[in-house]
Amino acid sequence: MLSLLQFVMGVLLIISFVGYMQFVRKVLSLRWEFIPIFVFSAIACIVFFIGLVGQLFIGSIVVLIIGLLLFRDTLAQAVRLGAKPQFMFSLFQLSFLGGTFIFLLILFQNELTHYDNFSHWAIVLKQMLSTNEFPTPDSDLIDFKNYPLGTSSFIYYVCRFMGHAQSTMLLAQALLIFSCFYAMFGVVSEKKRFLLYAFLGFGLSTLSFFNLTIRITNLLVDFLLPIYALAILAAIYQYRHDLKRACIIVLPLAGVLTVIKSTGVIFAAIGLIFLLYTWLRNKQRSNWKIGLAVFGTIGGALLPYFGWSWRMATVFQGVDNKFEGAGSALKAGKTAEQKWEILTLFLKSSIDITTRPVIGIVLFQLVAIAASIVAYTVLKKKWNLWKVLIALNVVLLLYYAGILALYLFSMPVDEAVRLAGFERYASSIVVLFAGGLVLCAAVDIERSFHYRIGEVPDFKSFKSVQSKGHYQKGIIACMALAGTILLSEYNGMASIANSYDTTLPYKIHAVTGDRWYAGGQEDTQRYLFYGSDRDQQVTNYYMQYVGKYFLYAPHVDGIVLFYEDNMDNLLSNYDYLVVVETDLNAKYLLKKHYGIDMQEGIYKITRSGEQIVLTLT
C-alpha cells in the first residue's frame, strides 16, 4: 500500500514539475535547455526559505499543489484551443535523454557508501524527512550543523513525496546534475549544427574523469558546485544581448549555489562577476533598467546566503561548528613548523603530475594553447579561447590560494596537516576550469563556420564538399570518444552497485535495518559496535557514523578488540552490543564470560545481579 502511495505521489510530483516548466516556457519564453535547472533551482530556493521559517512540510505541499494547478491550467487551455500534444525531439535531445535514462537506471541500483554521506549529507536528510524541519542545536545526530542546506532542501522536497530510499535521494540530486549539463548545451545558437552538440558531449563527458572522488553515486556536493557555475555561464552567454532574461535565469541558480556548501559563494561569485562583465562589455551601461536588473540579481542571489548566516547567528548562537572561522582555529593555534609542513605538502600536492587534478589542468592547458595556435595560423580565425584560458588561470590561482588559507587558518590541525579533502576541493575547480574551456571552444567553433545557418540554403551551408566531409568525420569522432568515456562511467557505476554487498554499510544494514521513527524522535539507547579496523573503519569513525544513520541514534561507539579484564566494565556503559563482524578472539571471550555463541546481530545488555547478560534480539 505504501509503495502504491509513493508511486502515485511520484507521478504527481513529475506532473507538478512539468506544470512549472510549461509555465516558465510560456511566460518567460526561455530556451528549453535552461528551463529544468531554472525550475529545480527555484523550487530549491523556495523550500530553503520555507525551511528557515520552520514550515517544510506545509510549504512543500503548497509548492506541489501550485505546480499541479499550473499543469491543469495549461492542459485546459490546450484543450480549449484544440491543440494536439507535440512530442518532437531533436537528435541531440534524444541522445541526451537516452544517456540520462541509462545513468538514472544504473543510479537506482546504487546505495550510499561514501564516508561523508553518513557523517553529514545523508543523516541530515534523514533528520529533515523525519522531523520536517532543519536541524536545531538539539539535533545530536548532526555534527556539522553549519553546513548549508541548499541541495538538501531540493532532495527533501523530492523524497517527501517519492519516498526516502537512498536511491531516491540519489535520483533527486541527479536531477540537478543532469539539468546543469543540459543547460550547458544552451551555449549553442545554431541548433542544426550537430557537430557542436557532439563536441560538447565529448568535452563535457571528460569531466567525469576528474569526478571519481565525488562521483554521482553519493550525495556529496563538490561536483554540483562547478557545474552549477558552468550552467550560469552558459545562460549569461546565450542571453548576453537580453540580459534581463539572463538575470531571471541566474537569480535562482546563483541563489541556491550560495547555500549548496560554504564554498558555493566562490562559484556563485564567478558567475555573477561574468554577468557584471557582460553588462559592461556589451555597451549596455547606459541602460539603467538593465543595470538595476544586474545589481538586483547579485543582491537577490545573496539572500539565501544571508538567510543561512542569520540562522547560524541566531538559532545556533554559541554552538561550535566545523570551520566556523579563523578565530576558533587561531585559539587552537598552529605552530610555525606546522604551517610550514602544511605549506610544503600543499605545494607538493598541487604540482603532483600523478594526480587527476594536476593531469586535468596540464592537459587542458596544452590543448587550449594548441587549439588557439591552430585556429590563428591554419583557420585564420581569432578565437577567444586564449582569453578565457587566462581568465580561468587567474580563477584557478585564486581558488588554490583560498584552499591554502583554509588549511592554514580555519581547519583543525589534525586535518590540515594531512590536507583533508584536498583532492575533492581540487577536483571541483578543475571541473570548472576544463568545463569553461570546453564551452568557450564550442562557441569559437560555432563562430568559425563559413556560413551561418539561415544565410544560405541548408544544402549550401558548407564552404566546400571537403569541409562538409571534415564536419561529418568530426561528428563521428566526437560521438565515438564521448561514447567510450560514458561507457567507462556506466561500467564504473555498475561495478560500485554490484560490489555493495562487500561494503560496511551493507553489513551494518543487514544487522540493524534502516530505522525511521515517527516524529523524528531519536533513539537514545547507547550502542557499542564491534568489528574489525580494516581500512581504519573504526579508528576514523566510519563504522560509528554508518551506525548512527541506520539506527537513528546519536550514542554510538565502536571497538575492535575486547580486553578480558575490562569487558564487564565496558559493556555496562551500553544498552546494546552490535556485532558487525566476528573474530576468533571475540568469540572465545564472549563464550567464556557470557555463554553465547557470537554471531552478527544486536545483543541486549542487561544485568543480573553482578553478572552482565547478553541476549540476541
Side-chain angles (χ1 to χ4, degrees):
M1 184 65 182
L2 181 61
S3 298
L4 177 61
L5 177 62
Q6 289 177 348
F7 174 77
V8 172
M9 293 306 299
V11 172
L12 292 177
L13 180 67
I14 294 172
I15 294 174
S16 179
F17 281 146
V18 173
Y20 280 113
M21 291 180 189
Q22 290 174 329
F23 176 78
V24 170
R25 177 70 172 178
K26 176 183 176 182
V27 174
L28 301 179
S29 300
L30 300 182
R31 290 181 51 156
W32 273 112
E33 289 90 344
F34 302 113
I35 290 177
I37 193 59
F38 175 83
V39 169
F40 295 153
S41 299
I43 290 175
C45 286
I46 292 170
V47 175
F48 175 80
F49 282 117
I50 290 170
L52 289 180
V53 298
Q55 298 296 327
L56 273 179
F57 182 69
I58 298 299
S60 296
I61 292 177
V62 171
V63 172
L64 176 73
I65 292 175
I66 292 174
L68 293 174
L69 293 176
L70 291 174
F71 179 83
R72 185 202 64 178
D73 292 344
T74 303
L75 189 61
Q77 185 178 10
V79 172
R80 284 197 303 268
L81 297 176
K84 296 181 180 179
Q86 294 183 354
F87 300 98
M88 297 295 293
F89 294 98
S90 67
L91 179 58
F92 155 68
Q93 289 173 326
L94 288 173
S95 301
F96 187 88
L97 289 174
T100 301
F101 177 77
I102 296 174
F103 260 114
L104 296 181
L105 195 63
I106 299 175
L107 199 60
F108 253 115
Q109 303 171 26
N110 277 268
E111 304 286 341
L112 301 176
T113 57
H114 195 284
Y115 181 99
D116 285 354
N117 288 309
F118 301 102
S119 67
H120 178 74
W121 300 109
I123 189 64
V124 76
L125 261 176
K126 189 169 186 177
Q127 183 164 77
M128 288 171 63
L129 289 165
S130 299
T131 63
N132 290 308
E133 63 179 22
F134 283 172
T136 66
D138 298 327
S139 303
D140 295 330
L141 283 163
I142 313 301
D143 286 349
F144 313 128
K145 300 181 179 69
N146 61 330
Y147 279 23
L149 300 175
T151 308
S152 300
S153 296
F154 180 77
I155 300 176
Y156 164 86
Y157 176 74
V158 174
C159 294
R160 180 73 284 156
F161 303 109
M162 293 188 67
H164 50 235
Q166 293 181 10
S167 57
T168 307
M169 298 178 184
L170 291 172
L171 170 66
Q173 181 154 298
L175 291 177
L176 297 177
I177 292 173
F178 286 105
S179 295
C180 284
F181 276 110
Y182 188 45
M184 293 179 211
F185 286 92
V187 298
V188 176
S189 297
E190 299 189 356
K191 296 185 177 183
K192 293 184 178 180
R193 301 283 192 186
F194 190 73
L195 174 62
L196 299 173
Y197 291 114
F199 173 79
L200 271 175
F202 162 56
L204 296 178
S205 66
T206 61
L207 301 185
S208 63
F209 177 78
F210 310 105
N211 184 44
L212 292 184
T213 56
I214 44 179
R215 218 165 198 154
I216 65 172
T217 53
N218 60 72
L219 297 176
L220 277 67
V221 298
D222 302 81
F223 189 49
L224 270 172
L225 298 174
I227 62 175
Y228 245 96
L230 291 171
I232 291 173
L233 297 179
I236 295 171
Y237 173 79
Q238 183 56 240
Y239 289 107
R240 62 194 180 280
H241 301 304
D242 187 4
L243 281 182
K244 289 183 180 179
R245 191 167 273 108
C247 288
I248 292 173
I249 299 173
V250 170
L251 181 58
L253 269 68
V256 74
L257 183 52
T258 64
V259 287
I260 287 179
K261 196 176 182 180
S262 56
T263 52
V265 177
I266 299 173
F267 290 89
I270 293 170
L272 294 174
I273 290 173
F274 183 62
L275 176 65
L276 186 62
Y277 167 79
T278 303
W279 171 58
L280 297 175
R281 183 176 181 274
N282 286 354
K283 300 178 181 180
Q284 301 181 52
R285 285 172 288 182
S286 59
N287 190 327
W288 66 270
K289 291 183 179 180
I290 295 179
L292 186 63
V294 170
F295 286 104
T297 299
I298 294 173
L302 293 175
L303 286 178
Y305 173 78
F306 288 128
W308 184 252
S309 299
W310 169 82
R311 180 178 175 82
M312 289 295 101
T314 54
V315 178
F316 290 91
Q317 186 176 12
V319 178
D320 292 330
N321 283 298
K322 189 176 182 181
F323 308 156
E324 216 166 29
S328 60
L330 289 174
K331 291 178 183 178
K334 291 187 180 75
T335 65
E337 290 78 9
Q338 288 173 330
K339 289 182 179 180
W340 178 253
E341 180 184 355
I342 294 169
L343 176 61
T344 303
L345 181 59
F346 180 85
L347 293 176
K348 181 181 178 182
S349 301
S350 299
I351 60 175
D352 185 357
I353 193 64
T354 63
T355 61
R356 287 178 184 267
V358 178
I359 291 174
I361 293 171
V362 173
L363 178 62
F364 276 89
Q365 294 267 11
L366 295 176
V367 171
I369 293 172
S372 298
I373 294 174
V374 170
Y376 184 76
T377 59
V378 179
L379 302 179
K380 308 301 180 183
K381 300 287 184 179
K382 292 183 179 181
W383 282 11
N384 291 322
L385 189 60
W386 66 273
K387 297 179 183 178
V388 172
L389 178 62
I390 294 173
L392 288 173
N393 272 308
V394 172
V395 171
L396 188 70
L397 292 174
L398 292 175
Y399 183 84
Y400 269 90
I403 298 177
L404 178 58
L406 171 70
Y407 287 120
L408 289 175
F409 303 113
S410 294
M411 191 175 285
V413 176
D414 60 326
E415 296 186 20
V417 294
R418 56 185 174 86
L419 298 186
F422 174 78
E423 190 171 0
R424 289 212 312 274
Y425 297 145
S427 294
S428 292
I429 196 61
V430 172
V431 168
L432 178 68
F433 180 82
L437 291 175
V438 170
L439 292 181
C440 181
V443 171
D444 282 335
I445 292 173
E446 183 178 47
R447 292 170 53 245
S448 298
F449 284 106
H450 191 74
Y451 296 110
R452 303 267 75 79
I453 294 292
E455 289 182 351
V456 295
D458 289 349
F459 69 92
K460 293 183 179 180
S461 58
F462 296 95
K463 185 179 180 180
S464 64
V465 174
Q466 185 181 22
S467 64
K468 184 176 181 179
H470 293 324
Y471 176 91
Q472 294 171 333
K473 291 176 182 177
I475 291 177
I476 295 172
C478 288
M479 291 186 65
L481 292 171
T484 301
I485 295 172
L486 292 177
L487 181 61
S488 175
E489 184 71 7
Y490 292 149
N491 290 335
M493 291 174 60
S495 176
I496 292 174
N498 293 334
S499 62
Y500 178 68
D501 58 1
T502 65
T503 64
L504 182 65
Y506 173 83
K507 295 177 181 178
I508 293 179
H509 181 266
V511 173
T512 65
D514 189 3
R515 303 184 182 183
W516 294 75
Y517 297 103
Q521 183 65 40
E522 297 175 358
D523 183 350
T524 58
Q525 301 294 318
R526 295 164 298 173
Y527 292 87
L528 178 65
F529 275 64
Y530 185 90
S532 70
D533 199 27
R534 183 177 60 256
D535 299 324
Q536 297 186 315
Q537 62 187 16
V538 177
T539 304
N540 66 13
Y541 217 67
Y542 181 35
M543 179 180 288
Q544 293 90 312
Y545 276 130
V546 178
K548 282 185 176 184
Y549 175 84
F550 284 120
L551 290 171
Y552 202 69
H555 306 297
V556 173
D557 292 317
I559 189 173
V560 299
L561 182 67
F562 285 119
Y563 292 97
E564 188 170 5
D565 56 352
N566 190 48
M567 289 179 67
D568 283 358
N569 181 55
L570 173 68
L571 293 175
S572 64
N573 292 318
Y574 297 92
D575 300 301
Y576 291 93
L577 171 66
V578 182
V579 179
V580 179
E581 298 170 325
T582 63
D583 58 61
L584 292 177
N585 180 64
K587 283 186 175 182
Y588 168 75
L589 292 176
L590 291 186
K591 182 68 174 179
K592 176 181 177 181
H593 289 271
Y594 309 112
I596 63 171
D597 293 320
M598 185 183 187
Q599 57 182 293
E600 288 82 1
I602 301 177
Y603 292 84
K604 174 68 175 175
I605 302 173
T606 57
R607 273 191 174 275
S608 178
E610 296 297 319
Q611 180 66 34
I612 294 290
V613 178
L614 299 180
T615 307
L616 184 64
T617 60

